[in-house]
């Protein structure tokens, strides 16, 4: 089931705050006066007691998750080998500005994504044609272009900034006319007992060290996986994705290049959908135990 935990926290904060505040404004003094007249200690109703106790706790959690750092769990293998299924990561919520919880509207701008950033975002939906125009749909097949887009958090790597000319032909990524260099590291080695690793082993996946210019004179070196025997993703540009990245949008792709549903399918990532920048693996659960060697890994 899809749900927005930030919206739930915001709702609880408002509910507890209203219950506690209304009691203090309307009922507390009279209740206290009656108790004192009877020579007793004033007692709060259970609902008010719970609201008073939980309001500061929920408020602190909401503030930390909304403006400082938020935990996420990696659910799929689209970012392998950088991020594995079962990795628990922390996301910097102020890297690209402060946003209102639940609504995600930016009210303080603190920066913009760079090429190579690993970002968490609200899934924008698949691009589908409807009466000659493109719409966002939750149906990847586009059989129902009006299917609601699920409220989900996704994670990918930024490979195109607004105004960039981005091409992808097979394994070759080209940004602004310059091929992005990548060096072969060797065959992928993983645990065949895990479904995601077994698929990559069966498809003969290889690892590559990609050198992606970050747009500010530097280079982000990171691993990608290739397995051409598995699938042939759409090239860039394609009928739904233009050559030049529109303003207010980014192109994002998974590091598992042949097993990632990303901008090649659903086009640009709108800036307003950004949630933050992933920066740390704080826990990794393989399904049979904790992968201690991955804990504390900085995400590049």
């Amino acid at each position: 089931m899809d749900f927005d935990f930030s919206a739930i926290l915001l709702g609880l904060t408002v509910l507890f705050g209203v219950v506690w505040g209304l009691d203090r404004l309307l009922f507390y003094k009279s209740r206290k006066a009656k108790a004192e007249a009877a020579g007793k200690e004033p007692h709060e109703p259970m609902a008010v007691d719970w609201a008073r106790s939980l309001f500061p706790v929920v408020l602190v959690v909401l503030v930390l998750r909304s403006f400082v750092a938020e935990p996420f769990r990696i659910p799929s293998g689209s970012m392998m080998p950088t991020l594995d299924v079962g990795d628990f990561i922390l996301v910097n919520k102020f890297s690209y500005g402060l946003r209102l919880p639940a609504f995600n509207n930016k009210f303080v701008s603190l920066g913009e994504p760079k090429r190579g950033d690993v970002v968490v975002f609200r899934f924008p939906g698949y691009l589908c044609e409807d009466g000659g125009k493109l719409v966002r749909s939750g149906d990847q097949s586009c059989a129902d272009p009006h299917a609601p887009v699920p409220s989900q958090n996704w994670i990918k790597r930024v490979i195109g900034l607004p105004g960039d000319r981005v091409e992808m032909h097979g394994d070759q990524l080209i940004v602004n006319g310059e091929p992005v260099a990548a060096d072969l590291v060797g065959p992928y080695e993983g645990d065949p007992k895990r479904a995601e690793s077994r698929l990559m082993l069966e498809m003969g996946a290889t690892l590559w060290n990609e050198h992606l210019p970050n747009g500010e004179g530097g280079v982000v070196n990171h691993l990608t996986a290739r397995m051409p025997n598995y699938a042939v993703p759409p090239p860039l540009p394609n009928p739904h994705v233009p050559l030049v990245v529109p303003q207010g949008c980014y192109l994002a792709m998974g590091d598992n290049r042949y097993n990632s549903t990303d901008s090649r399918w659903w086009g640009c990532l709108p800036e307003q959908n950004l949630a933050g920048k992933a920066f740390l693996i704080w826990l990794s659960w393989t399904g049979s135990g904790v992968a201690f060697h991955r804990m504390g890994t900085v995400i590049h």
Side-chain angles (χ1 to χ4, degrees):
M1 179 181 296
D2 300 320
F3 65 95
D4 190 332
F5 191 58
S6 295
I8 293 174
L9 281 175
L10 179 61
L12 290 175
T13 303
V14 172
L15 175 63
F16 294 151
V18 168
V19 170
W20 186 24
L22 287 177
D23 178 74
R24 299 292 294 189
L25 287 173
L26 303 177
F27 307 111
Y28 174 73
K29 289 183 178 179
S30 61
R31 185 171 64 246
K32 181 180 179 182
K34 290 180 180 179
E36 290 177 346
K40 300 178 181 179
E41 289 290 328
H43 291 285
E44 295 179 336
M46 182 179 293
V48 175
D49 183 48
W50 276 85
R52 177 182 56 80
S53 301
L54 292 176
F55 173 74
V57 176
V58 177
L59 178 63
V60 169
V61 174
L62 176 67
V63 170
L64 290 177
R65 286 179 59 99
S66 301
F67 306 127
V68 182
E70 184 172 3
F72 289 93
R73 180 184 181 275
I74 303 301
S76 74
S78 70
M79 282 297 292
M80 293 173 69
T82 304
L83 298 173
D84 207 344
V85 177
D87 283 346
F88 290 80
I89 64 171
L90 287 178
V91 174
N92 186 329
K93 297 304 293 286
F94 56 86
S95 291
Y96 310 131
L98 301 180
R99 298 175 183 269
L100 293 174
F103 299 99
N104 214 42
N105 296 324
K106 184 189 290 187
F107 63 92
V108 176
S109 181
L110 299 174
E112 301 296 337
K114 306 178 184 65
R115 285 194 221 103
D117 284 2
V118 177
V119 297
V120 170
F121 55 93
R122 291 185 178 184
F123 175 52
Y126 300 102
L127 285 173
C128 298
E129 289 190 11
D130 179 38
K133 62 181 180 180
L134 290 178
V135 297
R136 295 286 187 176
S137 172
D139 181 3
Q140 185 175 3
S141 71
C142 290
D144 181 7
H146 301 288
V149 177
S151 177
Q152 296 174 337
N153 289 307
W154 285 32
I155 184 167
K156 304 292 179 187
R157 187 181 299 274
V158 173
I159 54 97
L161 305 177
D164 280 349
R165 297 171 66 253
V166 179
E167 301 172 68
M168 187 78 182
H169 305 291
D171 295 317
Q172 184 61 68
L173 175 62
I174 303 172
V175 179
N176 295 325
E178 295 292 331
V180 176
D183 305 319
L184 176 63
V185 176
Y188 170 78
E189 298 178 358
D191 183 359
K193 296 179 182 179
R194 304 189 68 196
E196 299 80 10
S197 296
R198 185 166 59 251
L199 172 64
M200 296 178 69
L201 291 169
E202 291 174 351
M203 293 294 112
T206 54
L207 299 185
W208 296 72
N209 187 18
E210 187 172 83
H211 314 292
L212 182 63
N214 66 2
E216 296 186 346
V219 173
V220 177
N221 300 308
H222 64 99
L223 290 177
T224 64
R226 300 179 183 179
M227 45 181 181
N229 295 330
Y230 177 65
V232 179
L236 290 176
N238 62 52
H240 289 169
V241 186
L243 173 63
V244 178
V245 183
Q247 293 300 312
C249 280
Y250 301 87
L251 287 191
M253 290 180 11
D255 289 346
N256 196 350
R257 291 289 166 80
Y258 284 81
N259 190 21
S260 171
T261 304
D262 47 41
S263 283
R264 291 169 288 184
W265 278 266
W266 41 258
C268 77
L269 163 61
E271 188 277 337
Q272 64 264 29
N273 286 50
L274 289 170
K277 179 182 178 182
F279 69 94
L280 183 73
I281 300 173
W282 63 274
L283 178 65
S284 184
W285 175 258
T286 65
S288 59
V290 177
F292 289 100
H293 67 284
R294 295 183 62 81
M295 293 173 59
T297 301
V298 176
I299 300 171
H300 295 291

